[in-house]
Amino acid sequence: MALSTAEREAFLAEGHIGALAVQEEAGRGPLVVPVWYDYSPGGEVSFLTGTDSRKARAVAKAGRFSMLAERTHPTYRYVSVEGPVSSSNPTTEDELIRIASRYLSEESAADYLARSDLDALVTFHMRPEHWLSSDLGAF
């Protein structure tokens, strides 16, 4: 059963590990990798990565990406979004803290921030154009 707009946005805003998918080169399937991401209902999906990473190069070249968030225990749910990169920027301390805090305790997030090189990170933003969602346990 498909989720309502409010349900899918609320689900995507939860702290799931995202699966980023981006077309890397012709003749091959998309690059699919796990990422930490940020999303607030009605907003943009954001993720950060190394400036010189394979992900960054692929997303910059393709100009769009897909993101999947899923719950793997009952009820099984997923939300997939796809759209163009709306912007990219050198990662700010605020972005790093916001994303890390979704996945780590306050203390661990502070340690992660202290070990991170902001100059080596880029943040990509995407306003979802296409949504696909389902609650696989709702019958």
Side-chain angles (χ1 to χ4, degrees):
M1 171 182 270
L3 302 176
S4 70
T5 298
E7 289 171 325
R8 72 186 187 198
E9 288 188 353
F11 183 82
L12 190 60
E14 295 172 2
H16 305 283
I17 300 296
L20 171 80
V22 59
Q23 185 64 43
E24 190 172 22
E25 59 185 80
R28 291 192 59 180
L31 172 67
V32 181
V33 292
V35 294
W36 291 352
Y37 71 93
D38 186 38
Y39 176 76
S40 293
E44 296 183 320
V45 173
S46 302
F47 77 95
L48 57 90
T49 188
T51 303
D52 295 325
S53 70
R54 187 173 170 188
K55 287 183 292 236
R57 289 190 305 273
V59 170
K61 180 179 176 186
R64 61 189 316 115
F65 63 91
S66 297
M67 181 79 65
L68 170 74
E70 66 180 328
R71 181 169 56 207
T72 59
H73 59 278
T75 65
Y76 304 96
R77 284 186 171 191
Y78 71 87
V79 171
S80 178
V81 293
E82 187 270 333
V85 173
S86 55
S87 65
S88 64
N89 56 271
T91 300
T92 65
E93 186 173 318
D94 181 57
E95 289 169 328
L96 183 61
I97 291 169
R98 190 172 54 252
I99 291 175
S101 295
R102 288 172 51 93
Y103 300 95
L104 301 171
S105 68
E106 187 175 326
E107 182 179 322
S108 294
D111 290 342
Y112 181 76
L113 176 62
R115 291 178 302 168
S116 296
D117 179 4
L118 284 174
D119 294 332
L121 297 172
V122 61
T123 300
F124 289 94
H125 309 272
M126 177 257 286
R127 181 162 300 279
E129 283 184 343
H130 304 284
W131 293 77
L132 185 62
S133 65
S134 185
D135 183 335
L136 303 175
F139 296 99

